[in-house]
Structure formats: structure tokens, C-alpha cells
Amino acid sequence: MLGLSCDPAPALKVWAAAMGGIGHPLLSDFYPHGKVSQALGIFNAEGGYPMRSVTLIDPQGVVRGFTAYAAGQLPDPAVVMQELVKLQGG
């Protein structure tokens, strides 16, 4: 699992610490601003940030699932885990 934000890396570090620690890496798409999230098709140009989304990628680098969420909506971890289990043949 990776997190992607357009915030600079130092801000992500402070945010993660303020949350009590984050159990996965947080990647900064700060400069050039939003370039990675634009390439992934998840950049919200109006807001200047990536849309909240979940992308499931297998070990070979093939995208196996993608869900984008409306502003203010959070992914349901149980649903994400169900998708992962299905992809693993469970």
C-alpha cells in the first residue's frame, strides 16, 4: 500500500506523525505538481490535488482494480480487503 499526495514530503511526514504514524509509505507528487496523479488519471485540476482512489496492482504491475471516490467519501477497508481476497483466488 502506498499513499500519494501533492503535498511536499516534509508536510507528509508531519501529517503522518500527527496521525500517530502511518503504516505505509506516503509519496509526494509535489513537483512537478501533480504530474504522477495526472498520468494516473486521478488529478483534480480544479482543486489541485489527486482524487481519493484505490488502485489494485498485481506483482507483475498489472492494474486489477480501480475505484475513485467522491470528495469527502472514504474507501471502506473491508471492501478493499474483499477485492484483494478475490484477486488472490479466495
Side-chain angles (χ1 to χ4, degrees):
M1 180 185 308
L2 302 170
L4 177 67
S5 170
C6 287
D7 295 318
L12 292 175
K13 185 175 180 179
V14 170
W15 178 80
M19 297 293 292
I22 301 294
H24 57 277
L26 299 175
L27 308 176
S28 175
D29 192 14
F30 182 69
Y31 185 82
H33 188 78
K35 193 72 167 177
V36 173
S37 50
Q38 288 174 31
L40 294 171
I42 61 170
F43 189 72
N44 176 332
E46 185 176 303
Y49 54 84
M51 298 182 310
R52 185 168 284 133
S53 62
V54 172
T55 304
L56 303 175
I57 304 170
D58 72 15
Q60 290 72 42
V62 177
V63 174
R64 298 295 181 179
F66 174 80
T67 306
Y69 299 89
Q73 184 182 14
L74 297 173
D76 181 341
V79 172
V80 174
M81 291 306 295
Q82 287 173 350
E83 292 299 315
L84 286 171
V85 168
K86 283 196 295 190
L87 288 172
Q88 294 172 344

